[in-house]
């Protein structure tokens, strides 16, 4: 597990992908939640949902996948809850990170550790 | 066009004005990630749905950018407010340029 800010030279691919969105801005916590299983038997299809009241955009990352980007969701005026569920692939046990851009331009972040029994990237 | 692509959408038929409804969508698609290799060891090229949008009477509800980490048969569940009777339009964009569309009407009464 990477420790934040300690070794910037070895920043992971996921950190790079997150910085692409946030521009390196500080990220708060609290307004954003992820719901995910603690243990996923099949990494090919892991159910993930998030709830981000007040967010205009939510991006999901998997820090142990060969390409960490998973998906990004933009919400329009008719979306009341700014939440969504989907199913994702995980190569192995890792963290799924959600980053939300709020209406005021600030960023929120949260993550969930998921233990994967069988990886979902083939090979 | 990729073979066997079929969108499925679940939207209630009726709602009351301003009600929040839950929408479920699924499109059958193999979502080839570009990470896999065939039996000869050659990489299988990526072929995925890369974008999904849902609109109601022309107003956007959700706009999703998909990466290869989204599972086979991409599934999304989300909420929408229904201000009046009208049509939900769902659109999926394939890497190969195909666009798949599905429309569902909802009546406010």
């Amino acid at each position: 597990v990477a420790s934040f800010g300690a070794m910037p030279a070895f920043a992971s691919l996921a950190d790079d992908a997150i910085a692409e969105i946030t521009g390196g801005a500080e990220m708060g916590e609290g307004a954003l939640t992820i719901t995910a299983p603690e243990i996923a038997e099949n990494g090919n299809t892991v159910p993930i949902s998030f709830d981000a009241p007040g967010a205009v955009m939510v991006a999901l990352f998997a820090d142990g996948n060969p390409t960490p980007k998973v998906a990004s969701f933009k919400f329009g005026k008719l979306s009341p809850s700014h939440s969504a569920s989907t199913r994702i692939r995980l190569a192995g046990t890792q963290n799924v990170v959600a980053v939300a851009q709020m209406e005021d331009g600030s960023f929120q972040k949260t993550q969930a550790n998921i233990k994967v029994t069988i990886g979902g990237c083939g090979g | 066009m990729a073979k066997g692509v079929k969108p499925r959408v679940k939207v209630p038929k009726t709602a009351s004005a301003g009600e929040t409804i839950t929408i479920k969508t699924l499109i059958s698609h193999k979502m080839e990630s570009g990470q896999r290799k065939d039996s000869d060891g050659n990489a299988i090229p990526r072929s995925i749905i890369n974008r999904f949008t849902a609109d109601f009477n022309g107003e956007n509800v959700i706009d999703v950018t998909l990466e290869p980490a989204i599972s086979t048969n991409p599934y999304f569940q989300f909420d929408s407010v229904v201000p009046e009777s009208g049509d939900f339009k769902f659109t999926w964009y394939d890497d190969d340029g195909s666009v798949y569309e599905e429309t569902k009407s909802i009546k406010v009464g």
Side-chain angles (χ1 to χ4, degrees):
Chain A
V1 179
S3 58
F4 292 100
M7 294 189 291
F10 300 107
S12 72
L13 288 170
D15 290 342
D16 291 350
I18 292 167
E20 237 175 73
I21 293 182
T22 63
E26 285 290 311
M27 290 179 280
E29 279 187 31
L32 174 63
T33 51
I34 308 185
T35 308
E38 211 170 292
I39 298 173
E41 286 195 359
N42 181 356
N44 269 313
T45 172
V46 183
I48 298 279
S49 58
F50 64 83
D51 189 15
V56 290
M57 189 278 298
V58 174
L60 299 178
F61 302 91
D63 70 1
N65 273 7
T67 54
K69 281 187 192 171
V70 173
S72 66
F73 299 74
K74 289 192 185 108
F75 295 100
K77 276 186 214 147
L78 289 177
S79 175
S81 56
H82 299 199
S83 64
S85 307
T86 187
R87 295 172 188 150
I88 70 173
R89 287 182 181 133
L90 296 175
T93 298
Q94 58 183 292
N95 294 312
V96 171
V97 183
V99 174
Q101 183 172 19
M102 311 308 282
E103 273 154 0
D104 63 3
S106 69
F107 291 94
Q108 293 265 333
K109 180 184 160 181
T110 189
Q111 67 181 42
N113 186 262
I114 301 174
K115 293 181 174 61
V116 176
T117 315
I118 303 167
C121 279
Chain B
M1 183 181 278
K3 274 177 277 178
V5 177
K6 187 176 188 305
R8 295 185 187 87
V9 177
K10 210 174 216 179
V11 178
K13 289 195 171 58
T14 59
S16 50
E19 189 183 340
T20 294
I21 59 158
T22 297
I23 296 171
K24 293 176 182 179
T25 74
L26 185 143
I27 186 163
S28 44
H29 193 284
K30 62 186 183 328
M31 293 293 278
E32 190 57 62
S33 69
Q35 301 286 344
R36 297 199 309 151
K37 293 190 171 118
D38 65 17
S39 50
D40 299 327
N42 302 313
I44 303 170
R46 167 183 142 155
S47 173
I48 66 165
I49 302 272
N50 57 48
R51 186 173 175 222
F52 164 70
T53 62
D55 300 274
F56 180 71
N57 288 352
E59 184 80 60
N60 184 249
V61 180
I62 195 168
D63 185 341
V64 186
T65 304
L66 288 73
E67 304 289 343
I70 296 290
S71 298
T72 304
N73 304 335
Y75 163 84
F76 293 105
Q77 179 185 329
F78 53 94
D79 292 343
S80 178
V81 168
V82 186
E84 72 257 333
S85 295
D87 297 324
F88 277 101
K89 187 177 170 203
F90 305 93
T91 316
W92 294 261
Y93 299 84
D94 198 309
D95 267 354
D96 68 8
S98 307
V99 175
Y100 315 106
E101 288 179 347
E102 179 83 358
T103 308
K104 291 277 176 188
S105 298
I106 188 164
K107 201 174 252 179
V108 168

